[in-house]
Amino acid sequence: MRLLSLLHRWIGGIAGLLLALLGLSGALLVWRDRLTFVPHAGDAPHHDPAALARIVDTLAQGDRAIDRISFASDAIGVHQVAFADGGGAYLSQSGETVARWSSLWQRPELWLFDLHHRLLLGETGETINGIAALIGLGFVISGVILWWRMRARFRPRLWPAKMTAGAIVHQHRDLGVLTAPLLAVSLLTGAMMALPAVGDLLVGRDTKPALPDVPPVPAGARPAYTLVFAEAAARFPEAEPRRLQWPRKPGKPIALRLRQPFEWTPNGRTFLYFDPATLAVAGVVDPAQAAGSGWWREKLYPIHAAKVGGIVWKLAMTTSGLALAMLGSLAVYGFWRTRWQARQRRARPARRVLRSAG
């Protein structure tokens, strides 16, 4: 038990600030759509295939290459366009541009998401976050074990009674055990998304279908996207078009992502693939027909980001994020303050000896 306590304190003193950063940014991202302040953000979504096709056709005929378009939803009533050069725009559902940016730094909700997801470091940051989530999960387990022997002193507080080492430890221990179930859910789902090997271990390997190959796109080809949305409406009449993704490599298809009523993931896991030159259907992925671990994996992001469960689960995941921010930051402060004070106490006799010798 002594070794467990020592490891808990030392690793917490080192990794606590990273976990605090992830907790605070995650708590804010629960409310991301409501904190996206652009005109028409509160509009009710309309999924008229002809209207969507007109907007896509207009954008596709422009001078800037498009990476993807995320369509308006119940969460936010504007379309989000991401261009291949890193810029982007929000469009009203009538096609009016209501905001533009040339870098994600110009939109707080975009860089906050990248910070939480990848630490602004790309895939390396995502891996670091996954490892941090596993460490945090270890803290939850070890913290509950360490709390059990001190359970008679349980006095839950939102903030330490005093900013002393002892008061911080008491608040940390009791707040940690109170929020342990929520912390375990958010940390475990985060680790499973960031580290595919963890998901493979717990729910089985995710057997994603390979993207179909398509012929190279002839120069100047500009097909009408009415075909895309008409095909989607015919094959999945109850599904919402959620995202249109252009190929990032030659010989790969355009992907239309849809959300069927039974899917939890906000953008869905239903795909229609199209030949970029002719917009002929090149492949279909229907999760209603899928087997394996896809059912479990589809639940990870909605639970982690509070995209299901209404206001109650949003408040629960906000509480989890704020608790992680408080536990991590105060753990670092208390740990290093205690060590600094101990060093000061050890230094006092030496200073007294030097003064008397002088």
Side-chain angles (χ1 to χ4, degrees):
M1 195 68 73
R2 180 179 176 82
L3 177 60
L4 182 64
S5 177
L6 188 66
L7 288 172
H8 189 95
R9 291 200 309 270
W10 267 97
I11 299 175
I14 295 170
L17 285 183
L18 176 56
L19 290 170
L21 175 65
L22 295 176
L24 181 58
S25 59
L28 290 171
L29 284 171
V30 167
W31 308 95
R32 172 183 172 176
D33 294 324
R34 299 191 185 190
L35 296 175
T36 301
F37 300 112
V38 292
H40 299 284
D43 291 357
H46 304 289
H47 303 116
D48 176 39
L52 294 176
R54 282 195 300 271
I55 289 175
V56 174
D57 281 335
T58 301
L59 290 168
Q61 291 168 12
D63 296 331
R64 299 177 72 181
I66 306 169
D67 179 69
R68 66 187 181 275
I69 303 174
S70 299
F71 301 113
S73 67
D74 291 332
I76 186 166
V78 291
H79 306 310
Q80 181 184 341
V81 184
F83 294 106
D85 59 12
Y90 286 120
L91 274 63
S92 71
Q93 293 178 67
S94 63
E96 173 193 3
T97 300
V98 296
R100 293 180 182 273
W101 60 91
S102 57
S103 165
L104 61 83
W105 293 104
Q106 295 172 303
R107 295 301 312 182
E109 70 276 7
L110 298 183
W111 67 256
L112 185 65
F113 178 82
D114 199 68
L115 174 68
H116 182 79
H117 189 197
R118 302 185 184 91
L119 295 175
L120 307 175
L121 297 173
E123 291 185 3
T124 300
E126 188 171 359
T127 301
I128 293 171
N129 277 352
I131 295 170
L134 289 178
I135 291 172
L137 192 60
F139 284 147
V140 172
I141 297 169
S142 60
V144 171
I145 293 171
L146 293 169
W147 172 85
W148 182 253
R149 61 178 180 166
M150 306 294 290
R151 62 190 182 279
R153 300 185 185 181
F154 183 62
R155 300 290 187 277
R157 291 178 180 271
L158 290 178
W159 192 258
K162 298 181 290 184
M163 291 305 288
T164 61
I168 289 172
V169 168
H170 284 298
Q171 185 266 354
H172 179 96
R173 182 174 58 224
D174 295 337
L175 178 63
V177 79
L178 273 177
T179 57
L182 293 176
L183 290 171
V185 170
S186 57
L187 290 165
L188 180 59
T189 53
M192 290 174 70
M193 289 188 294
L195 301 173
V198 176
D200 293 346
L201 178 65
L202 295 178
V203 298
R205 185 173 296 278
D206 188 13
T207 54
K208 293 181 180 179
L211 289 178
D213 292 322
V214 295
V217 181
R222 293 182 181 274
Y225 284 86
T226 306
L227 299 172
V228 168
F229 296 99
E231 187 67 35
R235 289 179 181 257
F236 301 102
E238 296 184 350
E240 300 174 5
R242 295 300 308 120
R243 177 173 291 173
L244 190 61
Q245 174 75 58
W246 272 258
R248 293 173 178 170
K249 295 180 179 179
K252 294 301 178 183
I254 289 175
L256 177 63
R257 189 168 180 174
L258 304 108
R259 180 176 181 268
Q260 299 188 66
F262 64 84
E263 297 184 81
W264 287 24
T265 303
N267 288 326
R269 289 169 64 95
T270 303
F271 289 88
L272 275 174
Y273 296 108
F274 298 88
D275 183 326
T278 64
L279 296 184
V281 175
V284 181
V285 175
D286 183 359
Q289 310 298 324
S293 66
W295 188 92
W296 289 101
R297 290 177 182 274
E298 193 251 340
K299 307 297 186 285
L300 295 178
Y301 176 72
I303 291 172
H304 183 84
K307 298 299 183 182
V308 292
I311 190 67
V312 173
W313 192 244
K314 282 185 179 292
L315 292 174
M317 285 294 96
T318 302
T319 299
S320 175
L322 293 177
L324 185 60
M326 186 179 297
L327 291 167
S329 56
L330 288 180
V332 172
Y333 172 79
F335 177 80
W336 292 107
R337 184 170 186 257
T338 300
R339 292 187 60 78
W340 179 79
Q341 289 175 335
R343 186 176 298 173
Q344 293 293 103
R345 287 193 295 269
R346 289 194 298 269
R348 283 180 196 135
R351 287 198 293 267
R352 284 198 293 268
V353 169
L354 289 173
R355 282 198 297 269
S356 62

